[in-house]
């Protein structure tokens, strides 16, 4: 049994692309956890998508053994965390399993928005924080300025901040020594009844449901019968292990240790993230404090291109939910696209990642509709509804109150891009709440703006306007009443429910015009005329026409009576009319994604 005073549980928090995964590589390499032959860059980023995009999506753990300068061998449990705002739920789960955190800040870029948000999460969990200034070997690095920013913005004493370069291996030993000396060990609760917190779970085709746990009290052993405190279900422990970073089997996990457990558990639904595991025979009196469930911010429809692939899509979503507990979905049907699902995502990057994973890992051809947020409706009868699908919106005459979610957004930007970003935020109906100069050349902007203005290409605009230097973080604020309308798109007088969207009345006509123009470019021409219209209720606000393909039916009539030509043209006209009545217009996937790229 490992003595808890020689265990250190810590995680790494930082803004996206500040060098978390590279530092994790160096720590694994320095402690000799993996041999040089087994090492590769971003070793904890196991998904192809993570490696391609250079981001961390899933929190990974690694158990390392480190012989400190005092001659004692410590067990270090590192939990790597994502840096993007969409995955802050993953970060909050990882923090609950740790006693300390390394706060990494890029020596050239300084403190960014997501660093602030993650540090506040860590402070709420009462973690010991160690500031680390990374990338000090860059020509543009300014460690002294960044140390001052850490003190001013993060309220952390930076006098003992560790200066390192994860890429070239400078200062790695200092980081490990700081972890050993400045992060407190777990409490020694080995004699107490077993309580272990599940902070991640996934599905393995050989082992079934596997849970990543942090043992807070007592000891968990192989062969023991355990009970889930939320559901009361009991299981036998068949496999225990630690991730180093590959799975290593162990006979027991004692208080303070991090590892994985699998048993006779068939469904991941039985291993709910945030649940407490206890002993079946001598259960603990109360469960551990879990964490708030993930809040889905963006909803979108997912439909198979071929309707025969619907069962396959259902099966794929079930499997994906086992690996990503923040994903929620329900069955939905559309007149235009048939049967599919309404899926809830944490944000636009999360939606993008799920789309790629479904298409790559399960070989599906899918149509994703434009994302929407959850609106609150009060009808004239006093009935209250939450609407996340524009197709379910009641008639405008029946709506007494229409509310939309607002977010508080914090932007960090160099001074030179300030004017352009303020204009962008005002165009998106934002209200300025604060503007502070954190340094002589960096500004922190605080805005309140409607969330539906943020889900359409806002992040892309922000990055292009600031040449990638601005960063943002947001959190849900409240719901406020707005003058919102449902914009319908009609193709040959038939509404396409999958293209409907909810917009502010002042933008509706403009957006309708842009949508019709975009669809005119994207829809292929048919043998009959296609009329595209945008409408608000019964009022048509825009119209475009895709002309029919022409075939010269009179080509074979050279010379002769004009009445013969007229007869042929009348016959063609009748045929086109009949074709238009029964003709089906295929709407390509690009039409749905084009909605996201429209400029306001």
């Amino acid at each position: 049994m490992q003595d808890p005073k020689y265990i250190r549980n810590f995680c790494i928090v930082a803004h996206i692309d500040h060098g978390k995964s590279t530092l994790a590589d160096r720590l694994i390499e320095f402690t000799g956890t993996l041999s040089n032959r087994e090492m590769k860059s971003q070793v904890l980023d196991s998904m192809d998508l993570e490696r391609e995009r250079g981001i961390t999506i899933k929190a990974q753990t690694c158990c390392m053994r480190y012989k400190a300068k005092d001659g004692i061998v410590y067990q270090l449990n590192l939990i790597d965390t994502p840096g993007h705002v969409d995955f802050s739920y993953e970060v909050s789960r990882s923090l609950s399993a740790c006693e300390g955190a390394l706060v990494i800040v890029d020596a050239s870029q300084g403190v960014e928005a997501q660093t602030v948000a993650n540090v506040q999460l860590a402070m709420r969990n009462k973690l010991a924080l160690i500031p680390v200034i990374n990338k000090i070997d860059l020509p543009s690095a300014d460690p002294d300025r960044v140390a001052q920013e850490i003190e001013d913005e993060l309220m952390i004493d930076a006098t003992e901040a560790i200066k390192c370069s994860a890429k070239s291996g400078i200062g790695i030993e200092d980081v490990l020594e700081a972890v050993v000396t400045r992060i407190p060990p777990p409490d020694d609760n080995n004699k107490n009844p077993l309580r272990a917190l599940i902070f991640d779970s996934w599905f393995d085709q050989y082992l079934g449901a596997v849970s990543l746990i942090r043992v807070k009290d007592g000891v968990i052993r192989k062969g023991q019968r355990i009970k889930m405190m939320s559901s009361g279900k009991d299981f036998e422990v068949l496999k225990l292990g630690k991730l180093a970073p590959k799975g290593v089997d162990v006979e027991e996990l004692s208080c303070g240790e991090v590892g994985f457990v699998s048993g006779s558990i068939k469904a991941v639904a039985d291993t709910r993230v945030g649940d407490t595991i206890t002993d079946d025979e001598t259960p603990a009196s109360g469960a551990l404090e879990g964490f708030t469930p993930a809040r889905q911010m963006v909803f979108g429809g997912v439909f198979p291109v071929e309707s025969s692939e619907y069962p396959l899509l259902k099966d794929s979503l079930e499997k994906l939910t086992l690996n990503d507990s923040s994903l929620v979905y329900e069955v939905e049907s559309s007149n235009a696209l048939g049967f599919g699902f309404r899926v809830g995502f944490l944000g636009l990057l999360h939606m993008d990642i799920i789309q790629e994973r479904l298409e790559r890992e399960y070989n599906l051809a899918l149509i994703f509709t434009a994302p929407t947020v959850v609106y609150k409706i009060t009808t004239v009868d006093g009935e209250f509804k939450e609407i996340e699908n524009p197709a379910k919106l009641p008639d405008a005459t029946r709506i007494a109150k229409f509310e939309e979610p607002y977010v508080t957004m914090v932007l960090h930007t160099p001074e030179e891009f300030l004017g352009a970003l303020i204009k962008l935020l005002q165009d998106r109906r934002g209200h300025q709440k604060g503007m502070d100069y954190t340094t002589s050349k960096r500004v922190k902007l605080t805005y309140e703006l409607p969330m539906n203005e943020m889900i359409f290409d806002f992040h892309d605009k922000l990055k292009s306007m600031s040449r990638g230097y601005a960063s943002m973080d947001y959190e849900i604020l409240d719901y406020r009443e707005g003058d919102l309308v449902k914009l319908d798109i009609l193709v040959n007088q038939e509404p396409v429910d999958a293209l409907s969207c909810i917009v502010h009345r002042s933008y509706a006509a403009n957006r309708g015009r842009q949508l019709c123009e975009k669809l005119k470019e994207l829809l292929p021409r048919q043998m009959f005329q296609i009329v595209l219209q945008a409408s608000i209720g019964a009022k048509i606000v825009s119209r475009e026409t895709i002309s029919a393909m022409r075939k010269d039916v009179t080509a074979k009539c050279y010379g002769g009576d004009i009445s013969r030509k007229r007869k042929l043209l009348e016959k063609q006209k009748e045929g086109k009319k009949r074709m238009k009545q029964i003709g089906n217009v295929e709407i390509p996937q690009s039409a749905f994604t084009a909605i996201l790229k429209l400029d306001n």
Side-chain angles (χ1 to χ4, degrees):
M1 189 184 292
Q2 178 81 33
D3 189 335
K5 70 180 180 192
Y6 301 129
I7 297 174
R8 298 289 184 274
N9 296 317
F10 70 102
C11 62
I12 301 179
V13 295
H15 188 79
I16 191 166
D17 208 23
H18 276 208
K20 293 179 305 302
S21 301
T22 313
L23 182 67
D25 288 353
R26 291 296 85 76
L27 297 177
I28 291 167
E29 206 169 59
F30 192 90
T31 53
T33 307
L34 288 177
S35 65
N36 288 339
R37 185 174 58 81
E38 295 170 300
M39 271 307 288
K40 57 183 178 182
S41 61
Q42 281 91 41
V43 71
L44 292 183
D45 292 344
S46 51
M47 265 189 268
D48 288 343
L49 265 176
E50 291 181 311
R51 305 181 73 78
E52 279 172 28
R53 291 176 178 236
I55 58 173
T56 304
I57 296 166
K58 200 105 178 85
Q60 299 287 345
T61 65
C62 181
C63 178
M64 304 176 285
R65 302 191 77 75
Y66 169 61
K67 188 173 184 179
K69 287 178 179 174
D70 58 11
I72 299 167
V73 176
Y74 291 87
Q75 179 183 314
L76 307 181
N77 292 313
L78 157 68
I79 299 169
D80 186 22
T81 61
H84 194 278
V85 60
D86 281 9
F87 302 110
S88 53
Y89 172 61
E90 288 271 340
V91 179
S92 69
R93 299 191 325 205
S94 305
L95 295 175
S96 60
C98 302
E99 277 80 35
L102 296 176
V103 179
I104 300 200
V105 183
D106 188 317
S108 59
Q109 292 184 324
V111 173
E112 300 271 17
Q114 196 56 29
T115 320
V116 180
N118 287 343
V119 165
Q120 285 169 352
L121 271 176
M123 284 174 168
R124 270 180 236 146
N125 283 348
K126 300 182 175 60
L127 265 58
L129 301 175
I130 302 172
V132 178
I133 299 171
N134 190 21
K135 306 190 186 180
I136 57 164
D137 55 342
L138 288 179
S140 57
D142 188 352
D144 297 332
R145 171 183 64 81
V146 172
Q148 191 59 48
E149 277 186 36
I150 290 171
E151 293 202 347
D152 296 344
E153 291 192 48
L154 303 179
M155 311 300 174
I156 305 171
D157 181 12
T159 48
E160 291 184 34
I162 300 159
K163 292 171 185 166
C164 76
S165 167
K167 199 162 195 176
S168 50
I170 303 164
I172 300 302
E173 191 173 5
D174 298 341
V175 173
L176 287 163
E177 282 298 319
V179 167
V180 167
T181 54
R182 288 156 67 177
I183 291 176
D187 298 330
D188 189 350
N189 298 330
N190 275 316
K191 304 271 191 299
N192 297 359
L194 169 67
R195 287 198 305 172
L197 178 74
I198 299 176
F199 66 93
D200 202 0
S201 61
W202 65 90
F203 191 79
D204 185 289
Q205 56 184 350
Y206 302 112
L207 302 174
V210 183
S211 298
L212 202 54
I213 60 166
R214 156 73 201 273
V215 184
K216 298 268 188 179
D217 298 320
V219 183
I220 185 167
R221 295 182 175 88
K222 221 169 173 179
Q224 182 179 356
R225 284 207 76 78
I226 55 170
K227 185 164 89 173
M228 303 293 168
M229 291 193 86
S230 67
S231 63
K233 292 186 179 179
D234 61 292
F235 305 99
E236 185 187 350
V237 177
L238 300 176
K239 192 178 178 77
L240 273 179
K242 293 176 184 173
L243 294 169
K246 293 183 293 191
V248 177
D249 286 9
V250 294
E251 289 301 311
E252 64 177 31
L253 289 171
S254 59
C255 171
E257 290 194 290
V258 173
F260 64 87
V261 57
S262 78
S264 48
I265 309 168
K266 295 287 180 285
V268 168
D270 294 329
T271 64
R272 245 193 36 240
V273 168
D275 200 357
T276 305
I277 291 176
T278 189
D279 187 59
D280 189 33
E281 291 174 13
T282 54
S285 54
L288 292 162
E289 195 179 317
F291 21 78
T292 52
R295 290 175 69 179
Q296 284 70 35
M297 302 292 184
V298 174
F299 288 81
V302 182
F303 298 87
V305 171
E306 297 291 331
S307 53
S308 59
E309 286 190 343
Y310 173 76
L312 190 60
L313 173 60
K314 186 177 182 215
D315 192 40
S316 306
L317 275 171
E318 275 174 15
K319 286 178 183 166
L320 204 52
T321 314
L322 305 180
N323 284 317
D324 186 348
S325 57
S326 56
L327 197 67
V328 296
Y329 63 92
E330 59 180 37
V331 177
E332 180 183 63
S333 66
S334 155
N335 299 336
L337 302 170
F339 283 100
F341 295 92
R342 194 91 190 151
V343 185
F345 307 97
L346 300 177
L348 281 181
L349 177 71
H350 189 219
M351 180 175 174
D352 198 18
I353 296 295
I354 294 301
Q355 181 172 357
E356 287 232 14
R357 287 188 71 183
L358 283 169
E359 288 174 351
R360 280 187 188 198
E361 294 172 26
Y362 304 102
N363 294 323
L364 291 164
L366 300 172
I367 290 174
F368 272 65
T369 64
T372 61
V373 295
V374 181
Y375 298 92
K376 290 183 178 177
I377 304 283
T378 309
T379 63
V380 285
D381 310 333
E383 193 186 346
F384 177 77
K385 290 181 178 179
E386 287 197 345
I387 304 280
E388 82 281 339
N389 185 351
K392 292 181 181 174
L393 201 64
D395 190 71
T397 54
R398 295 191 36 76
I399 298 171
K401 194 177 178 186
F402 205 146
E403 293 176 293
E404 60 181 333
Y406 267 69
V407 296
T408 301
M409 181 176 285
V410 178
L411 286 169
H412 287 248
T413 175
E415 185 188 38
E416 62 195 278
F417 308 116
L418 190 59
L421 293 185
I422 287 177
K423 185 177 184 309
L424 172 69
L425 287 157
Q426 284 174 344
D427 288 347
R428 301 290 172 114
R429 298 191 284 136
H431 307 292
Q432 193 180 108
K433 290 292 168 189
M435 185 168 86
D436 304 300
Y437 275 79
T438 52
T439 68
S440 60
K441 290 191 176 175
R442 279 184 76 79
V443 187
K444 176 183 165 188
L445 281 174
T446 309
Y447 263 78
E448 288 176 4
L449 79 159
M451 194 172 176
N452 80 339
E453 296 293 341
M454 210 186 80
I455 63 170
F456 290 103
D457 73 354
F458 180 82
H459 192 255
D460 295 349
K461 278 262 185 305
L462 176 78
K463 288 295 178 191
S464 62
M465 283 181 170
S466 66
R467 299 210 299 271
Y469 284 107
S471 62
M472 67 170 228
D473 181 44
Y474 64 89
E475 57 181 49
I476 289 284
L477 184 63
D478 54 16
Y479 274 78
R480 296 179 190 176
E481 199 170 344
D483 187 11
L484 302 165
V485 290
K486 179 186 173 191
L487 183 70
D488 281 314
I489 300 297
L490 313 173
V491 177
N492 281 348
Q493 276 81 48
E494 286 293 318
V496 181
D497 51 1
L499 288 174
S500 299
C501 53
I502 295 169
V503 291
H504 195 264
R505 192 181 296 276
S506 60
Y507 301 155
N510 189 25
R511 183 167 277 275
R513 201 173 308 114
Q514 289 175 326
L515 270 170
C516 288
E517 286 169 6
K518 199 78 183 171
L519 280 173
K520 186 179 178 181
E521 288 172 28
L522 294 167
L523 293 185
R525 284 173 72 190
Q526 305 286 342
M527 296 302 291
F528 51 89
Q529 189 187 64
I530 303 172
V531 176
L532 305 170
Q533 294 166 308
S535 73
I536 301 167
K539 182 185 175 187
I540 303 292
V541 293
S542 175
R543 171 184 167 134
E544 292 286 339
T545 307
I546 302 175
S547 55
M549 284 184 187
R550 296 299 305 271
K551 181 186 174 188
D552 191 357
V553 288
T554 61
K556 58 189 176 187
C557 306
Y558 32 92
D561 189 5
I562 186 72
S563 60
R564 189 169 165 224
K565 289 185 180 180
R566 199 167 286 140
K567 188 179 170 187
L568 279 170
L569 288 168
E570 284 298 321
K571 193 177 173 185
Q572 185 191 39
K573 192 175 169 185
E574 282 297 314
K576 295 229 175 201
K577 190 178 172 185
R578 194 163 61 249
M579 226 188 242
K580 189 174 178 178
Q581 285 169 349
I582 61 166
N584 190 17
V585 181
E586 287 283 321
I587 298 174
Q589 161 73 50
S590 51
F592 299 100
T593 51
I595 296 175
L596 310 183
K597 303 285 185 269
L598 289 179
D599 290 336
N600 261 329

